[in-house]
Amino acid sequence: MKKVLIINIFMAIALLGVAQKPMTLPIISTKYTADPAPLVYNDTVFLYTSHDEDDAMGFKMLDWLLYYSTDMVNWTEYGAVASLKDFDWVPYDNGAWAVQCIERNGKFYLYCPMPGGVGIGVLVADTPYGPFKDPLGKALIKNSNHDIDPTIMIDDDGQAYMYWGNPKVYWVKLNEDMISYSGEIMQDATTPAKYQEGPWVWKHDGMYYMAYASTCCPEGIGYAMSTKPTGAWEYKGMIVDASEKTRGNHPGIIEFKGKWYCFGHSYDLLKQITDKFYERRSVDMDEMVFNADGTIQNRAYWSVEGPAQVGTLNPFNRVEAETMAWSEGVKTHFETEWTGDFDWDRGTKIDDHLFVTSINNGDYILVRGVDFGSGAKTVEANVSPIYGGKIEVRVDRLDGPVIATINVDSSREAGYWKSFSAPVDDVNGVHDVYFVFKGDKDLFNFDWWKFNR
Ligand code: FUB
Protein backbone atom coordinates (compact mmCIF):
# COMPACT_ATOMS: atom_id res chain seq x y z
CA MET A 1 0.00 0.00 0.00
CA LYS A 2 2.79 2.35 1.08
CA LYS A 3 4.76 1.39 -2.05
CA VAL A 4 1.76 2.21 -4.32
CA LEU A 5 1.32 5.57 -2.60
CA ILE A 6 5.00 6.43 -3.10
CA ILE A 7 4.82 5.40 -6.76
CA ASN A 8 1.71 7.58 -7.22
CA ILE A 9 3.43 10.56 -5.63
CA PHE A 10 6.41 10.08 -7.98
CA MET A 11 4.07 9.80 -10.97
CA ALA A 12 2.24 12.98 -9.94
CA ILE A 13 5.55 14.85 -9.61
CA ALA A 14 6.67 13.52 -12.99
CA LEU A 15 3.40 14.57 -14.65
CA LEU A 16 3.61 17.98 -13.02
CA GLY A 17 7.15 18.28 -14.35
CA VAL A 18 6.01 17.45 -17.90
CA ALA A 19 3.10 19.89 -17.67
CA GLN A 20 5.35 22.70 -16.47
CA LYS A 21 7.91 22.31 -19.26
CA PRO A 22 7.52 24.78 -22.10
CA MET A 23 6.68 22.98 -25.32
CA THR A 24 8.37 25.14 -27.87
CA LEU A 25 9.28 28.37 -26.13
CA PRO A 26 12.91 28.78 -27.26
CA ILE A 27 13.13 27.78 -30.91
CA ILE A 28 16.48 25.99 -30.55
CA SER A 29 16.57 23.25 -27.93
CA THR A 30 19.81 21.32 -28.56
CA LYS A 31 22.30 24.15 -27.98
CA TYR A 32 22.44 27.50 -26.22
CA THR A 33 22.02 30.26 -28.79
CA ALA A 34 21.82 34.05 -28.52
CA ASP A 35 21.75 37.29 -30.51
CA PRO A 36 19.46 36.09 -33.34
CA ALA A 37 20.16 37.58 -36.77
CA PRO A 38 17.58 36.33 -39.29
CA LEU A 39 18.06 36.81 -43.03
CA VAL A 40 15.36 36.07 -45.61
CA TYR A 41 16.79 34.70 -48.84
CA ASN A 42 15.14 32.53 -51.51
CA ASP A 43 11.99 31.76 -49.49
CA THR A 44 14.07 30.54 -46.56
CA VAL A 45 14.86 32.17 -43.23
CA PHE A 46 18.56 31.81 -42.42
CA LEU A 47 19.07 32.39 -38.73
CA TYR A 48 22.62 33.27 -37.63
CA THR A 49 23.16 33.12 -33.89
CA SER A 50 25.84 33.54 -31.29
CA HIS A 51 26.64 30.33 -29.46
CA ASP A 52 26.89 30.08 -25.68
CA GLU A 53 28.87 26.96 -24.83
CA ASP A 54 27.11 24.33 -22.70
CA ASP A 55 29.60 24.88 -19.85
CA ALA A 56 29.67 28.70 -20.08
CA MET A 57 29.71 30.52 -16.75
CA GLY A 58 30.07 34.02 -18.22
CA PHE A 59 30.35 34.80 -21.94
CA LYS A 60 32.03 31.79 -23.57
CA MET A 61 31.42 32.30 -27.27
CA LEU A 62 33.76 30.75 -29.80
CA ASP A 63 31.78 30.51 -33.05
CA TRP A 64 28.60 31.50 -34.90
CA LEU A 65 25.85 29.03 -35.78
CA LEU A 66 23.38 28.84 -38.63
CA TYR A 67 19.82 27.43 -38.56
CA TYR A 68 17.28 27.65 -41.34
CA SER A 69 13.53 27.24 -41.75
CA THR A 70 10.91 27.57 -44.45
CA ASP A 71 7.93 27.31 -42.10
CA MET A 72 8.94 29.31 -38.99
CA VAL A 73 8.34 26.43 -36.57
CA ASN A 74 10.71 23.65 -37.67
CA TRP A 75 14.38 24.74 -37.67
CA THR A 76 17.24 22.79 -39.19
CA GLU A 77 20.69 23.18 -37.69
CA TYR A 78 23.42 23.72 -40.25
CA GLY A 79 26.26 23.99 -37.73
CA ALA A 80 28.98 26.57 -37.17
CA VAL A 81 29.49 28.83 -40.19
CA ALA A 82 32.33 30.94 -38.83
CA SER A 83 34.49 31.38 -35.76
CA LEU A 84 37.14 33.71 -34.40
CA LYS A 85 39.71 31.49 -36.11
CA ASP A 86 38.52 33.02 -39.41
CA PHE A 87 40.20 36.29 -38.39
CA ASP A 88 44.03 36.16 -38.26
CA TRP A 89 44.17 39.46 -36.41
CA VAL A 90 41.86 38.65 -33.47
CA PRO A 91 43.97 38.02 -30.37
CA TYR A 92 41.63 35.60 -28.55
CA ASP A 93 39.34 32.65 -29.23
CA ASN A 94 36.49 33.65 -26.89
CA GLY A 95 34.55 36.72 -28.05
CA ALA A 96 32.30 35.70 -30.95
CA TRP A 97 29.56 38.22 -30.13
CA ALA A 98 26.42 39.28 -32.01
CA VAL A 99 26.69 39.07 -35.82
CA GLN A 100 24.43 40.04 -38.68
CA CYS A 101 24.56 38.59 -42.20
CA ILE A 102 23.37 40.66 -45.19
CA GLU A 103 23.08 39.67 -48.83
CA ARG A 104 24.03 42.10 -51.57
CA ASN A 105 24.42 41.27 -55.28
CA GLY A 106 24.67 37.54 -54.57
CA LYS A 107 27.37 37.86 -51.89
CA PHE A 108 26.82 37.30 -48.18
CA TYR A 109 28.48 39.63 -45.68
CA LEU A 110 28.79 38.53 -42.07
CA TYR A 111 29.60 41.44 -39.74
CA CYS A 112 31.33 40.12 -36.65
CA PRO A 113 32.04 42.19 -33.52
CA MET A 114 34.91 41.29 -31.26
CA PRO A 115 34.53 42.98 -27.86
CA GLY A 116 37.13 44.83 -25.82
CA GLY A 117 38.13 47.30 -28.53
CA VAL A 118 39.25 44.64 -31.04
CA GLY A 119 36.73 45.90 -33.59
CA ILE A 120 34.12 44.78 -36.09
CA GLY A 121 35.34 42.47 -38.86
CA VAL A 122 33.55 41.30 -41.97
CA LEU A 123 33.54 37.88 -43.62
CA VAL A 124 32.28 37.29 -47.17
CA ALA A 125 30.81 34.19 -48.84
CA ASP A 126 29.06 33.21 -52.07
CA THR A 127 26.28 31.33 -50.25
CA PRO A 128 24.44 31.88 -46.95
CA TYR A 129 26.13 28.72 -45.65
CA GLY A 130 29.64 30.01 -46.32
CA PRO A 131 32.49 29.27 -46.53
CA PHE A 132 33.11 32.76 -45.11
CA LYS A 133 36.49 34.44 -45.72
CA ASP A 134 38.05 37.60 -44.32
CA PRO A 135 38.75 39.93 -47.29
CA LEU A 136 40.39 42.70 -45.24
CA GLY A 137 42.75 40.95 -42.84
CA LYS A 138 41.94 43.68 -40.30
CA ALA A 139 38.95 45.29 -38.60
CA LEU A 140 36.42 47.15 -40.74
CA ILE A 141 35.49 49.30 -37.72
CA LYS A 142 37.89 50.05 -34.91
CA ASN A 143 36.49 53.12 -33.29
CA SER A 144 36.07 52.65 -29.55
CA ASN A 145 35.74 50.06 -26.82
CA HIS A 146 32.03 49.88 -27.65
CA ASP A 147 32.26 48.41 -31.17
CA ILE A 148 29.68 45.67 -30.68
CA ASP A 149 26.33 44.60 -32.13
CA PRO A 150 26.52 45.72 -35.78
CA THR A 151 23.33 45.92 -37.82
CA ILE A 152 23.09 46.86 -41.48
CA MET A 153 20.24 48.43 -43.44
CA ILE A 154 20.36 48.96 -47.20
CA ASP A 155 18.05 51.83 -48.12
CA ASP A 156 15.90 51.94 -51.27
CA ASP A 157 18.46 54.21 -52.96
CA GLY A 158 21.14 51.55 -52.45
CA GLN A 159 22.96 53.34 -49.63
CA ALA A 160 23.97 50.91 -46.89
CA TYR A 161 24.23 52.03 -43.27
CA MET A 162 25.85 50.24 -40.37
CA TYR A 163 24.71 50.96 -36.80
CA TRP A 164 26.27 49.54 -33.65
CA GLY A 165 27.29 50.23 -30.06
CA ASN A 166 26.58 50.11 -26.34
CA PRO A 167 25.34 52.30 -24.67
CA LYS A 168 25.32 54.75 -27.59
CA VAL A 169 24.45 54.16 -31.22
CA TYR A 170 27.22 54.82 -33.74
CA TRP A 171 26.56 54.77 -37.47
CA VAL A 172 28.46 55.06 -40.73
CA LYS A 173 27.71 54.82 -44.47
CA LEU A 174 29.05 51.61 -45.99
CA ASN A 175 30.33 51.67 -49.56
CA GLU A 176 28.71 49.50 -52.20
CA ASP A 177 31.46 46.89 -51.77
CA MET A 178 30.10 46.43 -48.19
CA ILE A 179 33.63 46.00 -46.85
CA SER A 180 34.64 49.68 -46.61
CA TYR A 181 32.95 52.90 -45.52
CA SER A 182 32.87 56.58 -46.40
CA GLY A 183 32.66 59.63 -44.24
CA GLU A 184 32.83 60.05 -40.53
CA ILE A 185 31.58 57.63 -37.92
CA MET A 186 28.62 59.46 -36.37
CA GLN A 187 27.44 59.24 -32.81
CA ASP A 188 25.85 62.43 -31.60
CA ALA A 189 22.08 62.60 -31.35
CA THR A 190 21.44 59.16 -32.84
CA THR A 191 20.81 57.21 -29.65
CA PRO A 192 17.10 56.77 -28.98
CA ALA A 193 15.60 56.86 -25.48
CA LYS A 194 15.86 53.66 -23.42
CA TYR A 195 18.58 52.28 -25.72
CA GLN A 196 21.07 49.84 -24.27
CA GLU A 197 22.61 47.84 -27.15
CA GLY A 198 21.81 45.43 -30.00
CA PRO A 199 20.29 47.78 -32.61
CA TRP A 200 18.34 46.28 -35.54
CA VAL A 201 17.30 48.75 -38.25
CA TRP A 202 14.78 48.22 -41.04
CA LYS A 203 12.38 50.16 -43.22
CA HIS A 204 8.62 49.68 -43.46
CA ASP A 205 6.04 51.77 -45.28
CA GLY A 206 8.47 54.66 -45.76
CA MET A 207 9.46 54.84 -42.06
CA TYR A 208 12.74 53.77 -40.47
CA TYR A 209 12.62 51.57 -37.38
CA MET A 210 15.31 50.78 -34.85
CA ALA A 211 14.62 47.98 -32.36
CA TYR A 212 17.12 47.40 -29.54
CA ALA A 213 17.77 45.83 -26.19
CA SER A 214 15.99 48.32 -24.02
CA THR A 215 16.98 49.30 -20.49
CA CYS A 216 19.24 47.14 -18.41
CA CYS A 217 18.69 44.83 -16.59
CA PRO A 218 16.46 42.96 -17.33
CA GLU A 219 16.32 44.04 -20.96
CA GLY A 220 13.21 43.89 -23.14
CA ILE A 221 13.01 44.86 -26.80
CA GLY A 222 12.14 48.51 -27.36
CA TYR A 223 11.90 50.44 -30.59
CA ALA A 224 12.10 53.92 -32.06
CA MET A 225 11.00 55.39 -35.38
CA SER A 226 12.41 58.03 -37.68
CA THR A 227 11.66 59.62 -41.04
CA LYS A 228 15.36 59.34 -41.96
CA PRO A 229 17.92 56.53 -41.70
CA THR A 230 20.16 58.86 -39.70
CA GLY A 231 17.58 59.84 -37.06
CA ALA A 232 16.49 61.59 -34.99
CA TRP A 233 14.86 58.49 -33.47
CA GLU A 234 11.71 58.79 -31.42
CA TYR A 235 11.18 56.07 -28.82
CA LYS A 236 7.79 54.42 -29.38
CA GLY A 237 7.53 51.68 -26.78
CA MET A 238 8.33 48.05 -26.11
CA ILE A 239 7.84 45.23 -28.62
CA VAL A 240 8.60 42.68 -25.89
CA ASP A 241 8.50 43.83 -22.28
CA ALA A 242 11.50 43.57 -20.02
CA SER A 243 10.91 40.58 -17.80
CA GLU A 244 12.36 38.57 -14.97
CA LYS A 245 12.67 35.69 -17.44
CA THR A 246 15.48 37.39 -19.27
CA ARG A 247 18.42 39.59 -18.32
CA GLY A 248 19.98 40.67 -21.59
CA ASN A 249 18.18 40.73 -24.91
CA HIS A 250 18.92 41.27 -28.58
CA PRO A 251 16.35 41.75 -31.38
CA GLY A 252 16.32 40.49 -34.95
CA ILE A 253 13.33 41.42 -37.12
CA ILE A 254 12.19 40.22 -40.56
CA GLU A 255 9.24 40.06 -42.90
CA PHE A 256 8.65 36.56 -44.27
CA LYS A 257 5.82 35.61 -46.61
CA GLY A 258 3.68 38.61 -45.64
CA LYS A 259 4.10 38.40 -41.86
CA TRP A 260 6.57 40.11 -39.55
CA TYR A 261 8.58 38.28 -36.88
CA CYS A 262 10.58 39.48 -33.92
CA PHE A 263 13.40 37.33 -32.52
CA GLY A 264 15.11 37.80 -29.18
CA HIS A 265 16.67 35.65 -26.48
CA SER A 266 16.01 34.46 -22.95
CA TYR A 267 17.30 32.06 -20.32
CA ASP A 268 14.28 29.75 -20.53
CA LEU A 269 16.23 26.64 -21.58
CA LEU A 270 18.79 27.11 -18.81
CA LYS A 271 16.01 27.66 -16.27
CA GLN A 272 14.64 24.22 -17.02
CA ILE A 273 17.73 22.70 -15.44
CA THR A 274 18.84 25.23 -12.82
CA ASP A 275 17.83 28.44 -11.13
CA LYS A 276 21.50 29.52 -11.07
CA PHE A 277 22.55 32.19 -13.54
CA TYR A 278 25.03 31.46 -16.31
CA GLU A 279 25.37 33.09 -19.72
CA ARG A 280 23.55 30.27 -21.52
CA ARG A 281 20.84 31.87 -23.58
CA SER A 282 18.25 30.63 -26.05
CA VAL A 283 16.71 32.25 -29.09
CA ASP A 284 12.97 32.93 -28.99
CA MET A 285 10.71 34.25 -31.70
CA ASP A 286 7.13 35.29 -32.35
CA GLU A 287 4.96 37.10 -34.82
CA MET A 288 5.17 40.91 -34.69
CA VAL A 289 2.15 42.98 -35.65
CA PHE A 290 2.07 46.58 -36.89
CA ASN A 291 -0.81 48.85 -35.95
CA ALA A 292 -2.47 50.91 -38.71
CA ASP A 293 -0.45 53.99 -37.67
CA GLY A 294 2.87 52.14 -38.14
CA THR A 295 3.52 51.55 -34.44
CA ILE A 296 4.13 47.98 -33.24
CA GLN A 297 1.89 45.96 -30.94
CA ASN A 298 3.39 45.11 -27.59
CA ARG A 299 3.66 41.58 -26.22
CA ALA A 300 4.47 40.87 -22.61
CA TYR A 301 6.56 37.83 -23.51
CA TRP A 302 7.00 35.15 -26.18
CA SER A 303 4.06 32.79 -26.50
CA VAL A 304 4.66 29.16 -25.52
CA GLU A 305 3.47 27.80 -28.86
CA GLY A 306 5.26 30.40 -31.04
CA PRO A 307 3.92 31.70 -34.36
CA ALA A 308 1.62 29.81 -36.73
CA GLN A 309 3.39 27.45 -39.11
CA VAL A 310 3.86 28.76 -42.65
CA GLY A 311 2.85 25.81 -44.83
CA THR A 312 3.62 22.22 -43.85
CA LEU A 313 6.58 19.84 -43.84
CA ASN A 314 6.88 17.19 -46.55
CA PRO A 315 7.85 13.85 -44.92
CA PHE A 316 8.41 12.12 -48.27
CA ASN A 317 11.67 14.01 -48.79
CA ARG A 318 14.69 13.13 -46.70
CA VAL A 319 14.45 15.24 -43.53
CA GLU A 320 17.56 15.85 -41.42
CA ALA A 321 17.09 14.55 -37.86
CA GLU A 322 18.35 17.96 -36.68
CA THR A 323 15.15 19.51 -38.10
CA MET A 324 12.87 20.12 -35.14
CA ALA A 325 10.41 22.42 -33.44
CA TRP A 326 11.44 21.14 -30.03
CA SER A 327 13.31 18.27 -28.43
CA GLU A 328 14.20 16.96 -25.03
CA GLY A 329 17.36 15.19 -23.99
CA VAL A 330 19.12 15.04 -27.33
CA LYS A 331 22.12 17.00 -28.58
CA THR A 332 23.59 17.56 -32.05
CA HIS A 333 27.11 16.88 -33.16
CA PHE A 334 29.09 17.84 -36.25
CA GLU A 335 31.54 15.05 -37.03
CA THR A 336 34.88 16.50 -37.98
CA GLU A 337 37.13 13.94 -36.35
CA TRP A 338 38.32 11.22 -38.68
CA THR A 339 36.15 8.41 -37.46
CA GLY A 340 35.86 6.64 -40.77
CA ASP A 341 32.06 7.06 -40.74
CA PHE A 342 30.69 4.62 -43.27
CA ASP A 343 27.39 4.39 -45.13
CA TRP A 344 26.51 0.69 -44.80
CA ASP A 345 23.69 0.88 -47.35
CA ARG A 346 25.75 2.54 -50.08
CA GLY A 347 29.13 1.07 -49.21
CA THR A 348 30.80 4.50 -49.15
CA LYS A 349 32.62 6.66 -46.65
CA ILE A 350 30.52 9.54 -45.30
CA ASP A 351 31.79 13.11 -45.41
CA ASP A 352 31.64 15.27 -42.31
CA HIS A 353 28.03 15.56 -41.25
CA LEU A 354 25.76 16.85 -38.52
CA PHE A 355 23.54 14.42 -36.62
CA VAL A 356 21.48 13.99 -33.47
CA THR A 357 23.30 12.28 -30.62
CA SER A 358 23.07 11.72 -26.82
CA ILE A 359 19.89 9.74 -27.41
CA ASN A 360 18.63 7.98 -24.28
CA ASN A 361 15.41 6.37 -23.12
CA GLY A 362 12.46 8.82 -23.19
CA ASP A 363 14.20 11.55 -25.20
CA TYR A 364 12.25 12.84 -28.15
CA ILE A 365 12.21 15.15 -31.18
CA LEU A 366 9.06 17.06 -32.18
CA VAL A 367 8.51 18.00 -35.84
CA ARG A 368 5.41 20.13 -36.33
CA GLY A 369 2.85 20.22 -39.15
CA VAL A 370 3.90 17.16 -41.15
CA ASP A 371 1.65 16.55 -44.16
CA PHE A 372 1.11 12.84 -44.84
CA GLY A 373 -1.38 13.54 -47.63
CA SER A 374 -3.32 10.36 -48.30
CA GLY A 375 -0.94 8.21 -46.26
CA ALA A 376 2.44 6.56 -45.91
CA LYS A 377 3.41 2.89 -46.15
CA THR A 378 6.83 2.86 -44.49
CA VAL A 379 9.19 5.09 -42.56
CA GLU A 380 12.96 4.82 -42.56
CA ALA A 381 15.50 6.27 -40.14
CA ASN A 382 19.18 6.53 -40.94
CA VAL A 383 21.09 5.83 -37.75
CA SER A 384 24.43 4.69 -36.43
CA PRO A 385 23.60 2.12 -33.72
CA ILE A 386 25.37 2.11 -30.36
CA TYR A 387 23.48 -0.04 -27.83
CA GLY A 388 20.39 0.02 -30.06
CA GLY A 389 16.76 0.60 -29.14
CA LYS A 390 13.52 1.70 -30.72
CA ILE A 391 12.08 4.81 -32.31
CA GLU A 392 8.38 5.13 -31.61
CA VAL A 393 6.84 7.45 -34.17
CA ARG A 394 3.86 9.09 -32.50
CA VAL A 395 1.46 11.71 -33.79
CA ASP A 396 -0.16 14.79 -32.27
CA ARG A 397 1.09 14.35 -28.69
CA LEU A 398 4.09 12.96 -26.90
CA ASP A 399 1.81 10.16 -25.69
CA GLY A 400 -0.27 10.17 -28.89
CA PRO A 401 -0.92 7.12 -31.12
CA VAL A 402 2.13 5.16 -32.28
CA ILE A 403 2.05 5.00 -36.10
CA ALA A 404 5.33 3.09 -36.47
CA THR A 405 8.02 1.49 -34.36
CA ILE A 406 11.49 1.33 -35.85
CA ASN A 407 13.74 -1.26 -34.24
CA VAL A 408 17.44 -0.47 -34.27
CA ASP A 409 19.88 -3.32 -33.60
CA SER A 410 22.89 -2.68 -31.43
CA SER A 411 26.30 -2.51 -33.05
CA ARG A 412 29.83 -3.34 -32.00
CA GLU A 413 31.28 -0.94 -34.56
CA ALA A 414 31.06 2.82 -34.09
CA GLY A 415 30.42 5.03 -37.08
CA TYR A 416 28.44 2.64 -39.30
CA TRP A 417 25.34 4.34 -40.68
CA LYS A 418 22.41 2.29 -41.80
CA SER A 419 18.70 2.78 -42.62
CA PHE A 420 16.16 0.87 -40.51
CA SER A 421 12.55 0.92 -41.62
CA ALA A 422 9.12 -0.01 -40.34
CA PRO A 423 5.56 -0.21 -41.69
CA VAL A 424 3.33 2.79 -40.95
CA ASP A 425 -0.23 2.47 -39.61
CA ASP A 426 -3.05 4.37 -41.14
CA VAL A 427 -2.22 8.08 -41.05
CA ASN A 428 -3.17 10.90 -43.35
CA GLY A 429 -3.39 14.67 -43.39
CA VAL A 430 -1.33 17.03 -41.25
CA HIS A 431 0.06 15.96 -37.86
CA ASP A 432 2.74 16.90 -35.38
CA VAL A 433 5.20 14.00 -35.27
CA TYR A 434 7.14 12.89 -32.20
CA PHE A 435 10.16 10.60 -32.59
CA VAL A 436 10.29 9.05 -29.13
CA PHE A 437 13.40 7.04 -28.28
CA LYS A 438 13.14 3.88 -26.20
CA GLY A 439 15.82 1.59 -24.85
CA ASP A 440 18.44 1.76 -22.17
CA LYS A 441 21.08 4.42 -22.83
CA ASP A 442 23.32 5.58 -25.68
CA LEU A 443 20.88 4.09 -28.17
CA PHE A 444 22.20 5.35 -31.51
CA ASN A 445 23.06 8.48 -33.45
CA PHE A 446 20.38 9.71 -35.85
CA ASP A 447 21.12 11.38 -39.19
CA TRP A 448 17.87 11.61 -41.18
CA TRP A 449 14.39 10.15 -41.68
CA LYS A 450 11.91 9.78 -44.53
CA PHE A 451 8.42 8.36 -45.07
CA ASN A 452 7.59 6.39 -48.22
CA ARG A 453 4.24 6.08 -49.95
O1 FUB B 1 26.17 38.02 -26.81
C1 FUB B 1 27.15 38.92 -26.38
C2 FUB B 1 26.52 40.28 -26.14
O2 FUB B 1 25.44 40.16 -25.24
C3 FUB B 1 25.90 40.87 -27.38
O3 FUB B 1 26.82 41.47 -28.22
C4 FUB B 1 24.92 41.79 -26.77
O4 FUB B 1 23.96 42.24 -27.68
C5 FUB B 1 24.35 40.93 -25.67
O5 FUB B 1 23.37 40.07 -26.18
Side-chain angles (χ1 to χ4, degrees):
M1 181 64 187
K2 203 170 161 193
K3 200 171 162 192
V4 171
L5 186 69
I6 290 170
I7 289 170
N8 282 341
I9 289 169
F10 275 116
M11 277 175 68
I13 291 169
L15 282 172
L16 212 63
V18 169
Q20 282 170 347
K21 279 187 181 161
M23 276 296 294
T24 58
L25 205 60
I27 60 173
I28 309 298
S29 49
T30 54
K31 284 192 165 72
Y32 292 108
T33 54
D35 305 325
L39 164 73
V40 177
Y41 181 72
N42 274 356
D43 284 341
T44 300
V45 180
F46 292 90
L47 175 63
Y48 299 83
T49 73
S50 307
H51 177 196
D52 292 335
E53 295 291 323
D54 282 3
D55 61 352
M57 312 286 269
F59 286 128
K60 186 175 180 188
M61 303 164 71
L62 316 182
D63 52 15
W64 294 284
L65 306 179
L66 173 61
Y67 296 82
Y68 56 92
S69 176
T70 53
D71 66 12
M72 302 309 275
V73 301
N74 296 304
W75 293 89
T76 304
E77 181 174 345
Y78 181 77
V81 278
S83 77
L84 294 176
K85 295 197 176 84
D86 292 309
F87 296 105
D88 288 346
W89 45 274
V90 173
Y92 45 60
D93 61 6
N94 174 12
W97 283 24
V99 288
Q100 187 178 353
C101 186
I102 284 280
E103 184 268 343
R104 183 163 204 174
N105 298 330
K107 295 245 182 248
F108 296 81
Y109 299 89
L110 188 69
Y111 296 89
C112 309
M114 272 63 71
V118 174
I120 299 174
V122 57
L123 298 172
V124 186
D126 293 328
T127 79
Y129 308 99
F132 284 96
K133 302 270 180 248
D134 176 7
L136 298 177
K138 60 179 184 170
L140 166 62
I141 302 289
K142 193 165 164 53
N143 178 60
S144 74
N145 277 342
H146 312 290
D147 296 334
I148 63 163
D149 295 352
T151 183
I152 290 83
M153 191 268 306
I154 304 177
D155 208 346
D156 300 338
D157 62 3
Q159 178 62 59
Y161 297 83
M162 181 193 281
Y163 310 78
W164 72 95
N166 168 342
K168 289 182 185 160
V169 177
Y170 300 81
W171 67 269
V172 76
K173 285 182 176 178
L174 290 181
N175 295 331
E176 200 170 340
D177 65 9
M178 300 297 275
I179 59 168
S180 62
Y181 63 88
S182 295
E184 255 182 277
I185 292 177
M186 309 298 285
Q187 165 197 319
D188 290 336
T190 45
T191 305
K194 303 194 187 217
Y195 174 88
Q196 183 65 39
E197 59 182 2
W200 185 277
V201 177
W202 76 101
K203 197 173 181 184
H204 172 57
D205 273 354
M207 292 298 288
Y208 297 86
Y209 292 77
M210 184 187 289
Y212 42 86
S214 188
T215 67
C216 183
C217 295
E219 292 172 349
I221 297 177
Y223 78 107
M225 290 171 68
S226 174
T227 53
K228 290 189 290 183
T230 52
W233 297 94
E234 188 186 344
Y235 173 73
K236 290 288 183 181
M238 299 299 280
I239 303 173
V240 182
D241 288 342
S243 142
E244 280 313 306
K245 296 187 181 169
T246 182
R247 177 161 142 156
N249 221 320
H250 191 111
I253 289 169
I254 49 162
E255 183 182 17
F256 181 63
K257 299 197 170 168
K259 284 187 173 176
W260 286 83
Y261 298 90
C262 178
F263 294 69
H265 64 220
S266 70
Y267 295 82
D268 285 332
L269 207 56
L270 173 71
K271 285 181 177 170
Q272 285 186 33
I273 55 165
T274 177
D275 56 6
K276 298 265 178 285
F277 176 79
Y278 303 107
E279 285 295 355
R280 299 178 203 165
R281 299 160 291 175
S282 304
V283 168
D284 305 281
M285 180 267 286
D286 234 311
E287 199 183 328
M288 186 182 89
V289 180
F290 285 95
N291 296 309
D293 65 357
T295 57
I296 300 170
Q297 286 181 16
N298 164 267
R299 60 165 57 251
Y301 199 59
W302 316 103
S303 63
V304 171
E305 68 280 2
Q309 187 170 7
V310 179
T312 52
L313 188 136
N314 180 354
F316 302 107
N317 291 332
R318 164 178 160 157
V319 180
E320 297 304 315
E322 59 274 12
T323 297
M324 54 185 86
W326 182 247
S327 67
E328 285 200 48
V330 304
K331 302 294 287 177
T332 52
H333 179 70
F334 187 74
E335 191 55 83
T336 50
E337 297 164 37
W338 195 89
T339 56
D341 270 15
F342 196 79
D343 186 327
W344 190 263
D345 300 321
R346 292 209 179 97
T348 54
K349 185 186 171 316
I350 298 180
D351 290 337
D352 296 345
H353 60 145
L354 189 81
F355 51 83
V356 173
T357 188
S358 284
I359 300 177
N360 294 294
N361 188 41
D363 295 346
Y364 70 93
I365 291 171
L366 163 62
V367 183
R368 283 175 58 193
V370 176
D371 189 355
F372 291 98
S374 55
K377 284 207 174 75
T378 60
V379 56
E380 56 185 310
N382 190 264
V383 302
S384 177
I386 306 172
Y387 287 101
K390 284 194 285 194
I391 306 175
E392 287 178 356
V393 185
R394 293 177 178 263
V395 289
D396 302 330
R397 300 182 317 275
L398 184 53
D399 61 353
V402 177
I403 59 162
T405 302
I406 306 170
N407 291 304
V408 176
D409 300 338
S410 68
S411 166
R412 290 206 193 136
E413 304 262 11
Y416 278 80
W417 290 87
K418 195 171 165 22
S419 285
F420 292 83
S421 62
V424 176
D425 285 352
D426 201 22
V427 64
N428 54 50
V430 179
H431 296 270
D432 290 346
V433 173
Y434 292 79
F435 295 91
V436 186
F437 305 108
K438 293 284 156 115
D440 190 7
K441 56 169 185 163
D442 285 339
L443 311 187
F444 36 76
N445 294 323
F446 187 13
D447 197 5
W448 54 265
W449 56 267
K450 181 176 182 293
F451 283 80
N452 301 300
R453 285 185 236 263

